[in-house]
Amino acid sequence: MNFKNHDIISIYDFSKEDILYILKTAKKMEKRSNPSLLKNNIMATLFFEPSTRTRLSFIAAMEQLGGKVTGFANSKITSIKKGETLWDTAKMVEQYADLIVIRHHLEGSARLAAEASSKPVINGGDGSNQHPTQTLLDLYTIQKSKDTLNNLHVGILGDLKYGRTVHSLAIALSHFNPIFYFISPDALKMPRNYITELREKGIRIYETPNLLSVSKKLDILYVTRIQQERFPDPLEYEKYKGVYRLDSSLTKYVKKDLKIMHPLPRIDEIDKSLDNTPHALYFEQAANGIPVRKALISLVLGKIR
Ligand code: CP
């Protein structure tokens, strides 16, 4: 794929080769990157939903490459508050920036912004749908820690219904012949459209509410929080909050080289007692957002190939 001017909206937009190319570019960026590569470029961050890692690591990536940043982290202080549409907002911002990164609570919002803007748009998370740059940094983290993406036993635990990162991750990993263990309460299972698609690709999938029934098989355990903000009924959230609480006692029931990942923020699903074990990979995972986002920004701006 020629990445120049390409929107990054969904993990479905990338072939296996594209994904591997982005990871290879991120590795080069981590080793060494040119601090003035983006010196004449401006990135706009339009964040309609809260974020720590995605927004700040995009900003850090841009600034470390010499670029400038504009945008907002709170749409209440913009003309959206007066009724301006997302379409018009994206149309305006393309006049002020070379690249737009957007996070929004509505599924499909990043695609809409990309249709409005002639400048490349990167999806920083749209509702329960997709979070493709998180997926790319997740893959980068797995590859770095396991030396491969192929044939891994991957457990994905928590809110698999509303957690957008797990949807993108399952689809991306399906290029690499994983065996999946989807661990969740019945009401928060992976949506059936993803299960059907994965099974059609020949991927083996086990679904269970019980982590300990599969924990010894896992190479990677990807934990997610219960996504309070996406539950239509707050009483339903009350039923499931705190349903999984992993702590250092888990280490007796896993392989020595199991790595535990989490897109963060965590609430109570991973206790601090796991942080200093060799299994914890989640902070390193968050740090990997910088080289991966440096690679993506530079590729879509056509500054590297
Ligand atoms: N992983 C992630 O998207 O974190 P933020 O919500 O803090 O951006």
Side-chain angles (χ1 to χ4, degrees):
M1 174 193 288
N2 178 5
F3 290 93
K4 188 175 177 185
N5 286 330
H6 210 281
D7 302 310
I8 297 178
I9 306 298
S10 163
I11 205 69
Y12 286 109
D13 300 341
F14 298 111
S15 66
K16 178 178 179 179
E17 289 65 37
D18 294 333
I19 290 173
L20 289 171
Y21 187 74
I22 293 166
L23 302 187
K24 194 168 118 191
T25 308
K27 196 171 174 187
K28 282 190 201 157
M29 284 283 177
E30 186 171 2
K31 263 197 187 140
R32 201 162 64 91
S33 55
N34 175 352
S36 51
L37 185 69
L38 305 180
K39 76 172 188 294
N40 295 319
N41 293 112
I42 301 177
M43 175 181 78
T45 57
L46 313 186
F47 275 61
F48 295 81
E49 268 199 334
S51 166
T52 299
R53 279 146 291 273
T54 307
R55 197 175 69 86
L56 296 185
S57 64
F58 262 113
I59 292 173
M62 189 69 186
E63 291 183 347
Q64 285 176 24
L65 295 174
K68 295 190 180 62
V69 181
T70 185
F72 54 81
N74 176 3
S75 64
K76 290 197 179 82
I77 57 156
T78 71
S79 287
I80 298 270
K81 188 77 183 145
K82 297 181 234 164
E84 188 161 41
T85 61
L86 176 59
W87 176 279
D88 280 359
T89 304
K91 206 81 203 125
M92 283 302 99
V93 173
E94 73 167 10
Q95 327 275 334
Y96 313 138
D98 305 303
L99 163 73
I100 297 173
V101 181
I102 181 169
R103 169 172 289 191
H104 199 285
H105 58 279
L106 290 179
E107 297 180 17
S109 50
R111 185 76 70 193
L112 180 77
E115 283 167 13
S117 167
S118 61
K119 303 284 173 59
V121 170
I122 299 182
N123 182 4
D126 62 329
S128 304
N129 186 32
Q130 290 251 335
H131 193 349
T133 68
Q134 177 71 43
T135 295
L136 290 163
L137 78 87
D138 292 341
L139 296 179
Y140 185 72
T141 303
I142 295 171
Q143 192 185 49
K144 224 170 127 179
S145 114
K146 293 286 175 191
D147 274 334
T148 182
L149 289 169
N150 296 313
N151 309 319
L152 295 170
H153 290 250
V154 179
I156 304 187
L157 173 142
D159 183 349
L160 311 189
K161 180 175 179 183
Y162 296 117
R164 59 191 169 203
T165 64
V166 299
H167 302 158
S168 310
L169 181 64
I171 296 303
L173 274 174
S174 70
H175 291 298
F176 302 97
N177 192 37
I179 298 169
F180 280 133
Y181 303 82
F182 292 146
I183 307 149
S184 72
D186 240 30
L188 300 179
K189 278 168 116 174
M190 184 65 88
R192 294 302 93 179
N193 57 310
Y194 291 108
I195 298 286
T196 305
E197 182 180 337
L198 293 168
R199 290 216 160 110
E200 278 172 0
K201 284 184 167 175
I203 306 294
R204 274 178 287 168
I205 298 171
Y206 301 90
E207 294 185 281
T208 174
N210 182 358
L211 170 60
L212 293 187
S213 69
V214 297
S215 56
K216 277 230 189 292
K217 298 184 192 299
L218 305 179
D219 301 307
I220 296 286
L221 174 59
Y222 193 98
V223 180
T224 61
R225 75 186 161 89
I226 308 296
Q227 309 270 312
Q228 179 176 13
E229 67 278 26
R230 313 231 183 269
F231 277 73
D233 176 357
L235 291 177
E236 274 294 291
Y237 171 70
E238 289 301 314
K239 264 199 233 166
Y240 297 108
K241 73 172 189 192
V243 65
Y244 295 109
R245 290 172 193 262
L246 280 48
D247 61 29
S248 57
S249 66
L250 178 68
T251 59
K252 288 185 275 190
Y253 307 103
V254 299
K255 284 188 199 167
K256 254 201 204 137
D257 60 352
L258 168 79
K259 294 295 178 192
I260 300 175
M261 299 173 66
H262 192 309
L264 304 175
R266 63 176 161 184
I267 310 302
D268 50 13
E269 57 280 358
I270 296 184
D271 186 76
K272 275 172 135 175
S273 61
L274 272 168
D275 291 0
N276 292 323
T277 69
H279 304 292
L281 196 57
Y282 27 94
F283 295 124
E284 191 182 326
Q285 179 186 355
N288 288 333
I290 295 198
V292 170
R293 289 175 172 130
K294 276 183 178 172
L296 289 170
I297 296 168
S298 306
L299 285 166
V300 300
L301 289 176
K303 296 295 175 178
I304 53 171
R305 291 163 48 144

